[in-house]
Amino acid sequence: MMYVYSNDTYFIAGIRNALAFSGINFMHDIAVIDPGGEDIYITRAAEFHRPGLADTLTHFIETRCYSLRKKAPVAEYLYVLNLMANNARIPFHVKPLTEREGLICESYLAGRERKEIAQKMHLSEQALSYSQVKALRKMNIKSIPFLLKVMKNWYAFGSGPFVDYPRHTSSCMPVDNNLAHPWVSACRGL
């Protein structure tokens, strides 16, 4: 079974069509995650729903998955999915963050402003900005608003069992060889 997590119905339809014509056997436990940034992530569903990680940022950083540009050619998606189907080793998609970079990202996720973060960490705003840019580059995210969006969706998609909550726009599309499964929501309310 393969799951596609996305708020973008065009992306879901594109993956569905690509899989319909690919001929790759998808009886594997694979998850394709589109958390709303420019990248998508492909991993095992069991890895994505792995319990015991402390918070969303840690979960995002420590999940082993392939990272592709959302607008990558279909051939790249199929190549990675074929690697997954053949049980290739899954790499980490984020370079490790330093303690300072992690604290800065966590502070933004907690809703703090740049000036407040700099004061609490005893940094100049310039030093904070430098560390922030380094952290975002390591995660391949281009701005703090994108980080907040990606983390919100990552949390929503990974926050538990597949339950149908029709009031949400987040979609999870289970996919198998005959593509006959209905769409269900993959998230709990935030």
Side-chain angles (χ1 to χ4, degrees):
M1 176 97 35
M2 184 173 145
Y3 295 93
V4 176
Y5 301 91
S6 182
N7 291 324
D8 182 346
T9 54
Y10 293 110
F11 176 75
I12 293 171
I15 289 287
R16 185 176 188 163
N17 287 334
L19 296 176
F21 298 107
S22 71
I24 298 174
N25 180 4
F26 284 102
M27 297 307 291
H28 305 282
D29 190 29
I30 296 175
V32 178
I33 305 108
D34 169 20
E38 294 180 355
D39 292 345
I40 62 100
Y41 306 94
I42 301 174
T43 189
R44 304 244 178 269
E47 172 75 11
F48 183 61
H49 292 289
R50 181 170 42 127
L53 294 176
D55 56 63
T56 304
L57 182 64
T58 303
H59 186 263
F60 178 77
I61 292 168
E62 293 184 5
T63 298
R64 289 181 173 269
C65 56
Y66 290 97
S67 174
L68 291 170
R69 286 286 184 207
K70 190 172 180 180
K71 294 181 180 182
V74 174
E76 286 184 39
Y77 282 87
L78 295 178
Y79 173 76
V80 169
L81 291 170
N82 197 27
L83 288 174
M84 297 287 297
N86 291 319
N87 294 319
R89 187 170 194 276
I90 303 171
F92 284 107
H93 68 101
V94 174
K95 295 174 186 162
L97 300 180
T98 64
E99 184 177 349
R100 177 189 284 185
E101 293 164 350
L103 288 173
I104 290 169
C105 290
E106 288 171 5
S107 296
Y108 278 114
L109 292 172
R112 294 189 183 97
E113 297 290 327
R114 176 188 303 253
K115 201 171 226 178
E116 179 185 358
I117 296 168
Q119 287 173 347
K120 286 194 181 235
M121 294 183 71
H122 305 289
L123 297 171
S124 69
E125 286 192 49
Q126 185 177 6
L128 175 80
S129 182
Y130 178 74
S131 293
Q132 170 189 316
V133 167
K134 283 178 49 183
L136 293 176
R137 281 187 186 150
K138 287 179 179 181
M139 293 186 287
N140 206 17
I141 294 175
K142 57 184 202 179
S143 67
I144 293 299
F146 265 122
L147 173 69
L148 298 175
K149 180 179 182 179
V150 166
M151 291 298 109
K152 177 184 173 195
N153 288 331
W154 192 271
Y155 171 80
F157 295 149
S159 67
F162 306 121
V163 180
D164 188 13
Y165 289 102
R167 67 184 182 276
H168 299 294
T169 59
S170 301
S171 298
C172 169
M173 180 191 69
V175 180
D176 71 5
N177 287 338
N178 63 13
L179 302 170
H181 293 283
W183 292 16
V184 294
S185 176
C187 68
R188 295 180 180 161
L190 289 176

